[in-house]
Structure formats: C-alpha cells, structure tokens
Amino acid sequence: MTLINYRNTGSDLPLSNYVRQRREDLGLTITTASELAGIAFSEWCALESGWIPSDRATLHAICATLTTGLYDFYAIVQVSQFIQSIDPQQALQEMQ
C-alpha cells in the first residue's frame, strides 16, 4: 500500500483541483476570480496551491464566485481538510 503525503503537494487536494478547474471552466482569470470573491490575488493563488480558508465568509465568497452549490462545495472543503490532517508517516507506522 502506498501512502501519499498531500501536505507538500497542495495542488493535489480536491479543493485546489476543483477551484482551479471550475475557474477555468467559467473562463475566469485568477485576477477576476479573486476580485469577484473579494480576496487578494495572492490568496486565490494560495487557494489553488492548497490553502484552505478557515473563514466562512471567505468560503462563501469563493463558492459564490464559482457558482457552485454550497453543500457540494463544503463537502470538497471537508475532504480536503481531512486529507491535510493526515500524517502519512504515523499512518504507516500504525499499519506495521
């Protein structure tokens, strides 16, 4: 069984992939998306690189910008938070 360390590869998180793909599907640039969401350009870049905002207002603004369902969006956020919380080394040790 191979364990993947998602901590250092934020772009592999479901949220990062979803945000990037949805933004591209909508034909939005990072600049436009960040302006619509009311967040800094650098924050949107971080979002697509693995940052998960903890502020609900920010998450709602991103969800609205991507015109996606709130429940679906929060499910993706929660899965991504779970993946980030996993310590692959500890999981491997527990399996042995």
Side-chain angles (χ1 to χ4, degrees), residues 18-85:
Y18 178 79
V19 167
R20 182 176 31 263
Q21 186 63 53
R22 183 69 181 146
R23 176 184 58 77
E24 290 173 355
D25 289 348
L26 292 170
L28 299 173
T29 65
I30 293 174
T31 301
T32 303
S34 63
E35 288 172 356
L36 288 171
I39 64 175
F41 176 85
S42 60
E43 289 178 313
W44 195 281
C45 290
L47 178 65
E48 291 190 12
S49 296
W51 171 63
I52 302 173
S54 58
D55 176 38
R56 283 187 172 211
T58 301
L59 289 170
H60 282 230
I62 293 164
C63 182
T65 298
L66 299 174
T67 62
T68 190
L70 188 61
Y71 294 115
D72 293 338
F73 185 73
Y74 267 93
I76 296 167
V77 169
Q78 289 180 341
V79 168
S80 296
Q81 288 171 332
F82 175 75
I83 291 170
Q84 269 190 343
S85 72

